[in-house]
Amino acid sequence: MNATGAPSGPVREATRTDRLLAALGGLVAAYVSLAVADLVASRVRPEASPVVAVGSAVVDRTPAALKDWAIRAFGENDKAVLQLGILLLLALFAVGTGLLALRHRVLGAAAVGAFGLLGALAAVTRPDSDSAVHAVPSLAGAAVGGLLLYVLVGRLLASGGGVGVGTGTKAGAGSGAGTEAGAGSRAGAGAGPETGTGSGAEAGSGDGPEPGPRPGPGPARADRRRFLVVAASSGLAATGAAALGRAVGSPAEESATASRAALRLPRPASPAPPVPAGARPAVPGISPFTTPNRDFYRVDTALVVPKVNADRWRLRLHGAGVREELTLTLRDLTARRTVERDITLACVSNEVGGPYVDNARWLGVPLADLLREAGVRPPSEGGPADQLVARSVDGMTIGTPVEEVMDGRDALLAFGMNGEPLPFEHGFPVRMVVPGLYGYVSACKWIESIELTTFDAYDAYWVPRGWSAEAPVKTQSRIDTPRPFGRPSAGTVMVAGVAWAQHRGVRRVEVRVDDGPWRDARLAAEATRDTWRQWTYPWEATPGRHTLTVRATDGTGATQPERRTDIMPNGAQGWHSVVVTVEEGG
């Protein structure tokens, strides 16, 4: 064996079976490596898992247009698709390392270590990483995977002095340079299987190459069996360890879950006004006025949902115009005057007619009150800061205009959602909710810091990626029923949906059938101007293919424009329409 791990003695030619087994060895080593890394990450920090760490780095460096395409194509499954893509690339890499190890065992094992170093680097350079210990999962997994690959390939190299690629031919005149299993020719007294030390050729004076010799039947098969035994047992052990790790769970996640279960929400000093009886029309297929937590949309960059222990959570308030820096606990917040409000949130990635808008009842403390107590004044009152930068525990930064936060709207630091503590997916223990602004400039989840600064001094996460620094929600409306390409029966068909223009309110909704005149829809009662409004329109449908279109007018009298625009840089606009085929009544 030489310095690179390649066999230095006589070798036999690698067969197709050898190469397949080497590729399998690379895959098994990669699987075991990831299983070990995930097991260690569950004890250290789930976000330090190499797939998550590398995936998060990819997300941060992905062009905005590609992210938007992923959201449109895969919806809330975009993160799962990204991780699957990383695993597929890793599988190809693993096959390559297995084949490399067949020639150079040390280099193959080192390649596994190189991927571990990549994962470790990604983990420790994350914005939310504060310890070199976060590199341990990737390094531990790489060490085990590299060693396993070295051992597995060693099983393949154990017979006949190793596996090589042979350069000789079976026939030719003079002394043979290629051999069946050793360095000699077939004729002569051999020191290895079917080999000798002589220099004679096997036969004749043929001048054409023939396929090289095959390995001996006994030892190679035995070593392949040992290879398969080691590979199978390693894979099973890794699977068992991974299952055990998931069953036991992460201590940090368990403590976070326990802290959420123990949280008792305070009674609001200012409860939400009762939802008017006429705000919920009973039409099948329309979006409910209040979206259940399990159905509320989720769009963020976190590949692993942060699970923060509420008892250890702290919020730091600092920056320009802050009289004295504050550090608040969740108990500090819940002890303050709390308010409860129905507020509709919308994501800027929502295309015309899209699903990324929902309504919930939020419980929290008024953010403006907290800022004023800290000495903060909005720019209209001479304050030095025009941007509030909220920072999440995962490093995300969200920039919000100070003027809008302090103009009297119900901007909240929320810890309750629909009568229960925030779900982890939606920002537990505390998040920001600001009606009238798209989420990417207001709705910071898992918030841990608020800094007062200026838009000139700092660009939050999305701004360098092509999005506007300020983004008020645009007036929009959507047809929920009938569904696109639906086939309703002729007669009265109830067309229904929702419209929203948070903090301006919805004044009017109109529906058009084909190229006919616009007709007023029936607006459900308005809860507040910060929530969406449901609407209905009874349509006397005639057989055939029809296009239904909707538009809304907000509380200022502005009607949403017809021309559709892209979601970048600050939200889509345009009329939503659906095509249906009305069938003859039965």
Side-chain angles (χ1 to χ4, degrees), residues 156-388:
L156 295 180
L157 299 175
S159 71
V163 178
V165 291
T167 58
T169 64
K170 193 169 186 178
S175 59
T179 68
E180 176 132 359
S185 67
R186 183 170 246 197
E194 296 192 295
T195 68
T197 57
S199 60
E202 178 177 45
S205 58
D207 57 2
E210 294 183 10
R214 299 177 181 176
R221 290 197 184 106
D223 288 322
R224 286 169 183 165
R225 282 195 294 270
R226 284 193 286 270
F227 168 93
L228 293 173
V229 169
V230 173
S233 58
S234 299
L236 288 174
T239 301
L244 177 63
R246 292 182 182 277
V248 172
S250 164
E253 291 185 349
E254 289 179 356
S255 65
T257 301
S259 71
R260 181 178 182 274
L263 179 62
R264 297 293 177 264
L265 296 178
R267 293 178 62 86
S270 174
V275 177
R280 298 186 174 101
V283 177
I286 196 172
S287 300
F289 176 78
T290 300
T291 308
N293 290 352
R294 66 179 181 277
D295 298 329
F296 206 96
Y297 79 87
R298 178 194 165 204
V299 177
D300 53 54
T301 63
L303 295 185
V304 173
V305 174
K307 292 192 174 180
V308 182
N309 187 321
D311 299 327
R312 300 173 186 167
W313 176 84
R314 299 291 184 272
L315 175 68
R316 179 189 179 205
L317 175 62
H318 63 111
V322 176
R323 184 169 48 246
E324 182 177 355
E325 180 175 316
L326 299 177
T327 299
L328 301 168
T329 66
L330 183 57
R331 180 171 296 183
D332 293 333
L333 287 184
T334 57
R336 296 175 61 87
R337 174 180 173 272
T338 59
V339 301
E340 182 184 59
R341 296 291 184 266
D342 291 315
I343 299 173
T344 297
L345 298 186
C347 179
V348 74
S349 297
N350 201 43
E351 294 185 304
V352 172
Y356 302 128
V357 55
D358 282 309
N359 186 62
R361 176 162 290 188
W362 307 93
L363 175 68
V365 299
L367 179 54
D369 290 355
L370 183 63
L371 294 175
R372 288 192 180 278
E373 290 176 22
V376 177
R377 292 172 295 144
S380 60
E381 298 177 14
D386 61 3
Q387 179 181 209
L388 179 158

Side-chain angles (χ1 to χ4, degrees), residues 421-436:
L422 285 172
F424 287 112
E425 292 81 359
H426 295 293
F428 182 83
V430 179
R431 66 171 294 166
M432 275 179 56
V433 174
V434 183

Side-chain angles (χ1 to χ4, degrees), residues 387-399:
Q387 179 181 209
L388 179 158
V389 176
R391 186 176 299 274
S392 168
V393 299
D394 69 347
M396 170 61 67
T397 54
I398 300 291

Side-chain angles (χ1 to χ4, degrees), residues 432-522:
M432 275 179 56
V433 174
V434 183
L437 301 180
Y438 283 118
Y440 86 99
V441 296
S442 66
C444 184
K445 302 177 187 177
W446 314 293
I447 189 172
E448 68 171 3
S449 170
I450 295 177
E451 179 182 5
L452 278 300
T453 182
T454 65
F455 285 104
D456 289 338
Y458 185 81
D459 286 336
Y461 181 90
W462 292 108
V463 175
R465 292 163 172 81
W467 298 88
S468 299
E470 301 185 48
V473 171
K474 296 179 178 179
T475 303
Q476 285 289 334
S477 53
R478 183 182 73 201
I479 297 173
D480 287 340
T481 184
R483 305 293 295 172
F485 309 112
R487 304 185 72 86
S489 298
T492 302
V493 174
M494 192 62 73
V495 183
V498 290
W500 60 93
Q502 293 95 306
H503 207 58
R504 300 185 303 278
V506 174
R507 177 185 297 179
R508 184 183 189 188
V509 172
E510 300 167 280
V511 175
R512 184 177 70 182
V513 180
D514 300 323
D515 294 324
W518 289 100
R519 305 291 187 186
D520 282 333
R522 299 172 183 169

